[in-house]
Amino acid sequence: MNALIYKTLIPSISLRLSTRLTLILNSFLHFKAPLPRAMSSYSPQQVFQLKLDPLTGNSEWVVIQDSDELPECSKEPLLASTSYLDMLNDSHRNKAFRLAIDKTVTKPCHVLDIGAGTGLLSMMAARAMGLNGRVTACESYLPMAKLMRKVLHRNGIGKNINLINKRSDELEVGVDNPSRADVLVSEILDSELLGEGLIPTLQHAHDKLLVENPLTVPYRAVTYGQLVESPYLWKLHDLFGSEAKASDGIHLVPTGLETVIHFKLQQHPMHCDAIRKEIKLLSEPFKIFEFDFWKRPDSHGKTKVQIKMTDTGCIHAVVSWWILQLDREGTVFYSTAPSWISSAAKIGSGNWCDHWKQCVWFLQGKGMPVSEGEEVLLEATHEETSVSYNLSVLGSQTDIREHDQRIGDFQLLVSPERIATYGDSEWRLSVLAAVRKALQGRVNPLCVVADDSIFLTLLAANLSKTSHVISLFPGLRDKGAKYVETVAKANAFSMDRVEVPEKWKACLTMLDTHGKKVDLLIGEPYYYANEGMLPWQNLRFWRDRTLLDPVLSEDALIMPCKGILKACAMSLPDLWNSRCCLGEVEGFDHSVVNTTLGACGELPAPKESPCLPFCVWQCGEIKVQFTEHGICHGFVLWMDWVMDAENSIVVSTRPDHRYWKQGVKLLTKPVAVGIHGSKTTNEFGSTIIEAFFDPSSSELIIKHTFS
């Protein structure tokens, strides 16, 4: 992200591509947000889908009926946030499956497709065996099954494909299928390989749905790993170590409670190529597990791998990936290996894609120091849906270096990005300065923390010895209360000064505040488990401020006092290619799925691609064309939170702050741009951007024209 250049801007709707758009949405101190309209009611029908309201944090059930059209739940297409579009734009994946199916399905037979999606693999199998074969396609998710029907109809290939809207473990031979299947084609793989239920799905299929010794596509999968040192990956998991370098006196993870805030012990998907310059390889790649699709897998497995260190350093993480062998002969492969793996080990990988990444397993604490030539023993364990690791150094009996993953009694589980944010010195100092300024001169202040910020709760209680803090913790609830109680003593306050309501309520009354008006209403804003939301959906704080208006004092201070939406034009070729409209995919027309999957490109009016959340720094090739000619693929949007009335303290979530997601609005077509005054006749020199925000629904509409 070194290419990011920020310049001072006088707000204007006509913007050059060398500038960024600033849209002040409103001051929380002076304005009230309109409340959402009442929810529509539905009568029970076929399937219900849970939909989260980003402004309230509440969930509602959306009814999906078994009719021709999918419901319009919002301006965002129902399936836009799924990985289906990215998978279908992965040409290397599609070609590998087509080649393997053509080699495997060579005569009429019965093919079972589990997790059929849009029906691509089913259609490949039907085409490969001609008119006399039969395909049973199993797709449990009703919206996708409805979309698959449209794809089959468009391609005129539905007669030989029996689509069943059930889970595969609900299928019965003699009821849903006339016989067991001869061939299994399936792609139910995630970045970790096992996370989508590959093992239990294969077990049931071999037990109940397939003939003995069936043919399968894929044929085999092998997982690999590599030990690495990385300061960036270290910051994502060792809050105790990061906090030790801070000078603010706040102890989110006090000594003796190093794991009170922790990440989930699992492999975390990540585009490791994006941090290649921040990774030091400490070993050669090594093989971990092998899974054969053509036979029944075991639910549990263990293996030990002895690894010789190729460099001296500190092991912070295990980076892992997998290689698919799609055909029995071993001629068709697909790999999720990072780009630094040699071409021999990287057979079959190709274009950047977001649906399959590498995985990172974090070592707890500071990591494990090693020297070149030392040997490390990696013990890997797989369960039905996950893989875990344990490391120890092989040496003399007096050398006891073992990576211990044991944890304490109470843990507050948060994302690695949240751990890194809490450990970031610059972020902490900004927030501390804002709270200290807000508390200055106030005696016995009543402070309400409206969001899920445990850091603000500790700050408000620590900085003012006479304050009373009410933390609403709308997402954390009792977990937040338990955490604050656990660390209170280490942060020099008693729990009689901090209160977490037993039952969360959006509207406090004077009874809840013990008859006292609120002096400070603060938030980061941060809402637990909502990291996947679009940046401006944290304007939920604005709504919370409105609901709390009756209990605010006349001179109440609101922090943040302002939210600023910012945008910049960016070149994002990899992301655009993964989200662009589909035409033919391996010979099958998929154009009917574009609107439903939220594609960018030539969509029927008034449809357009939605804004979606991404960690922009992980989105493949990224160039910001501020000072040179280039191609614009869309706009990246983020929020800056102004924490004080003087506009002197700003917390930004811009793209070079890598612990935050930004919103991305991709263009219908990439646009050639140039510097105003030196552009060629085929380039645009400026753009007009208009943004419309609806506070009642958190919908943001972006309009743009190039000139």
Side-chain angles (χ1 to χ4, degrees):
M1 297 301 297
N2 293 331
L4 279 172
I5 301 173
Y6 295 94
K7 297 184 178 180
T8 304
L9 170 68
I10 299 175
S12 169
I13 60 172
S14 180
L15 301 174
R16 301 180 188 276
L17 290 178
S18 60
T19 62
R20 58 183 182 180
L21 168 67
T22 301
L23 174 66
I24 300 179
L25 294 175
N26 247 321
S27 165
F28 300 128
L29 183 58
H30 301 297
F31 291 87
K32 299 178 184 179
L35 300 182
R37 294 180 291 274
M39 207 171 50
S40 300
S41 61
Y42 298 91
S43 59
Q45 294 293 334
Q46 191 85 358
V47 171
F48 295 85
Q49 175 160 312
L50 200 61
K51 181 175 181 288
L52 179 68
D53 183 340
L55 283 182
T56 66
N58 297 328
S59 298
E60 62 174 292
W61 290 100
V62 176
V63 178
I64 302 174
Q65 301 182 13
D66 194 7
S67 58
D68 290 338
E69 297 300 323
L70 292 170
E72 292 293 337
C73 306
S74 67
K75 289 183 175 64
E76 178 182 305
L78 184 65
L79 300 173
S81 59
T82 66
S83 61
Y84 290 110
L85 182 63
D86 185 76
M87 286 191 295
L88 291 166
N89 270 310
D90 185 350
S91 59
H92 290 266
R93 164 194 174 272
N94 301 336
K95 181 180 179 181
F97 271 94
R98 191 253 302 165
L99 291 173
I101 289 173
D102 285 348
K103 291 189 65 176
T104 303
V105 184
T106 58
K107 60 184 180 181
C109 60
H110 181 192
V111 176
L112 173 63
D113 181 3
I114 296 178
T118 62
L120 178 60
L121 304 190
S122 293
M123 292 187 292
M124 288 178 177
R127 180 176 61 187
M129 62 181 156
L131 298 176
N132 296 322
R134 182 174 71 256
V135 177
T136 299
C138 174
E139 175 53 56
S140 63
Y141 185 41
L142 179 59
M144 184 50 62
K146 291 155 68 73
L147 196 58
M148 179 176 169
R149 291 190 196 120
K150 291 185 176 183
V151 176
L152 296 180
H153 178 73
R154 173 61 65 94
N155 288 276
I157 200 171
K159 289 183 179 180
N160 294 343
I161 299 175
N162 179 27
L163 171 57
I164 301 175
N165 178 214
K166 288 185 178 180
R167 291 168 50 95
S168 64
D169 57 9
E170 297 173 333
L171 297 182
E172 294 183 51
V173 173
V175 178
D176 303 293
N177 292 340
S179 63
R180 288 178 176 250
D182 307 293
V183 181
L184 172 68
V185 296
S186 183
E187 193 272 85
I188 48 171
L189 314 174
D190 66 351
S191 296
E192 189 179 18
L193 189 71
L194 305 181
E196 291 188 8
L198 175 65
I199 287 178
T201 299
L202 287 178
Q203 288 175 336
H204 179 267
H206 280 282
D207 290 343
K208 302 292 186 180
L209 305 175
L210 301 174
V211 299
E212 190 175 352
N213 298 320
L215 299 175
T216 63
V217 177
Y219 181 78
R220 175 180 291 132
V222 181
T223 62
Y224 293 86
Q226 198 163 17
L227 305 181
V228 303
E229 174 184 278
S230 171
Y232 175 76
L233 295 179
W234 170 75
K235 291 177 182 177
L236 289 174
H237 73 267
D238 186 12
L239 180 54
F240 182 79
S242 296
E243 197 170 52
K245 300 179 180 180
S247 57
D248 50 35
I250 301 300
H251 305 288
L252 288 167
V253 283
T255 301
L257 296 170
E258 287 85 351
T259 63
V260 69
I261 296 178
H262 208 265
F263 53 90
K264 189 174 181 180
L265 289 178
Q266 65 179 35
Q267 296 196 95
H268 297 267
M270 185 179 299
H271 288 290
C272 291
D273 284 335
I275 55 170
R276 176 63 185 95
K277 294 181 180 179
E278 300 170 80
I279 286 180
K280 181 180 181 181
L281 304 178
L282 298 178
S283 76
E284 294 293 336
F286 48 85
K287 179 178 174 181
I288 306 173
F289 285 115
E290 185 173 300
F291 299 93
D292 290 321
F293 289 62
W294 55 272
K295 63 181 181 181
R296 191 185 193 279
D298 295 326
S299 296
H300 312 283
K302 291 186 177 182
T303 188
K304 294 183 178 181
V305 185
Q306 197 166 314
I307 307 161
K308 187 174 183 179
M309 296 297 98
T310 58
D311 207 340
T312 298
C314 185
I315 303 172
H316 292 134
V318 180
V319 174
S320 66
W321 62 93
W322 45 259
I323 295 179
L324 276 186
Q325 177 186 328
L326 286 101
D327 64 326
R328 183 168 53 185
E329 295 77 16
T331 62
V332 184
F333 293 89
Y334 184 98
S335 171
T336 63
S339 62
W340 65 74
I341 301 301
S342 64
S343 57
K346 197 184 173 188
I347 301 170
S349 62
N351 47 289
W352 180 93
C353 60
D354 198 50
H355 62 99
W356 287 328
K357 310 176 182 72
Q358 295 78 48
C359 279
V360 174
W361 173 273
F362 298 111
L363 271 70
Q364 191 171 302
K366 296 180 180 179
M368 178 185 291
V370 291
S371 301
E372 182 179 356
E374 274 191 312
E375 291 191 337
V376 168
L377 180 66
L378 178 138
E379 298 179 78
T381 303
H382 81 74
E383 305 299 334
E384 286 191 342
T385 59
S386 64
V387 178
S388 60
Y389 305 103
N390 193 43
L391 291 170
S392 58
V393 174
L394 296 175
S396 65
Q397 293 184 351
T398 58
D399 184 359
I400 308 174
R401 276 175 289 163
E402 185 172 356
H403 174 244
D404 188 357
Q405 289 285 62
R406 288 177 296 179
I407 55 179
D409 294 333
F410 172 76
Q411 273 197 319
L412 182 61
L413 294 178
V414 298
S415 70
E417 290 76 16
R418 177 63 8 188
I419 286 178
T421 299
Y422 281 149
D424 184 80
S425 297
E426 181 182 349
W427 180 87
R428 290 171 69 113
L429 288 174
S430 295
V431 176
L432 182 144
V435 174
R436 180 177 283 139
K437 180 185 286 190
L439 289 168
Q440 192 171 7
R442 295 184 180 267
V443 180
N444 301 322
L446 174 59
C447 176
V448 171
V449 180
D451 63 357
D452 286 306
S453 179
I454 54 175
F455 187 70
L456 286 179
T457 299
L458 301 190
L459 267 182
N462 178 275
L463 292 177
S464 172
K465 304 306 180 185
T466 62
S467 64
H468 185 79
V469 182
I470 300 177
S471 292
L472 299 184
F473 291 156
L476 288 173
R477 308 285 175 91
D478 57 337
K479 293 190 290 290
K482 177 67 174 176
Y483 166 79
V484 174
E485 182 181 352
T486 302
V487 302
K489 184 177 180 180
N491 286 279
F493 65 84
S494 59
M495 283 304 293
D496 60 349
R497 292 180 42 229
V498 178
E499 181 181 347
V500 180
E502 289 186 11
K503 293 184 178 180
W504 180 81
K505 54 173 75 173
C507 304
L508 295 181
T509 66
M510 294 298 292
L511 184 63
D512 298 312
T513 62
H514 311 292
K516 180 175 172 58
K517 288 278 189 175
V518 175
D519 301 296
L520 274 78
L521 177 63
I522 61 178
E524 298 183 22
Y526 160 71
Y527 294 94
Y528 184 68
N530 279 12
E531 285 91 346
M533 291 293 184
L534 290 159
W536 50 89
Q537 289 175 334
N538 277 329
L539 286 166
R540 171 181 172 180
F541 178 81
W542 188 13
R543 178 186 182 279
D544 293 343
R545 176 255 176 273
T546 301
L547 292 172
L548 292 169
D549 190 63
V551 298
L552 298 180
S553 65
E554 291 185 2
D555 64 342
L557 191 147
I558 314 297
M559 186 192 88
C561 67
K562 192 181 296 180
I564 304 177
L565 176 69
K566 295 189 175 181
C568 67
M570 297 189 79
S571 177
L572 296 162
D574 292 328
L575 182 59
W576 193 92
N577 287 331
S578 76
R579 300 290 311 175
C580 67
C581 277
L582 298 166
E584 282 202 353
V585 179
E586 295 299 325
F588 297 106
D589 186 352
H590 273 68
S591 59
V592 294
V593 310
N594 288 324
T595 299
T596 305
L597 297 185
C600 60
E602 298 292 346
L603 298 174
K607 303 293 185 181
E608 59 180 45
S609 62
C611 287
L612 295 174
F614 288 97
C615 289
V616 171
W617 66 274
Q618 289 194 47
C619 291
E621 181 184 349
I622 298 174
K623 296 179 181 177
V624 183
Q625 305 292 350
F626 286 116
T627 58
E628 60 186 76
H629 303 271
I631 301 297
C632 175
H633 292 90
F635 301 98
V636 174
L637 303 103
W638 66 93
M639 292 295 299
D640 278 2
W641 303 102
V642 181
M643 307 302 279
D644 63 336
E646 293 77 25
N647 298 336
S648 63
I649 303 174
V650 179
V651 174
S652 180
T653 63
R654 63 181 186 259
D656 59 339
H657 289 196
R658 294 185 293 179
Y659 311 137
W660 308 93
K661 285 188 176 182
Q662 296 76 41
V664 177
K665 175 67 175 179
L666 295 172
L667 302 179
T668 299
K669 292 181 179 179
V671 173
V673 297
I675 306 168
H676 189 69
S678 63
K679 66 183 183 68
T680 66
T681 56
N682 296 325
E683 295 176 331
F684 292 101
S686 64
T687 183
I688 298 174
I689 303 176
E690 295 179 283
F692 306 90
F693 179 71
D694 181 357
S696 67
S697 64
S698 80
E699 297 282 0
L700 181 72
I701 300 173
I702 302 293
K703 301 291 184 182
H704 61 272
T705 55
F706 286 90
S707 60

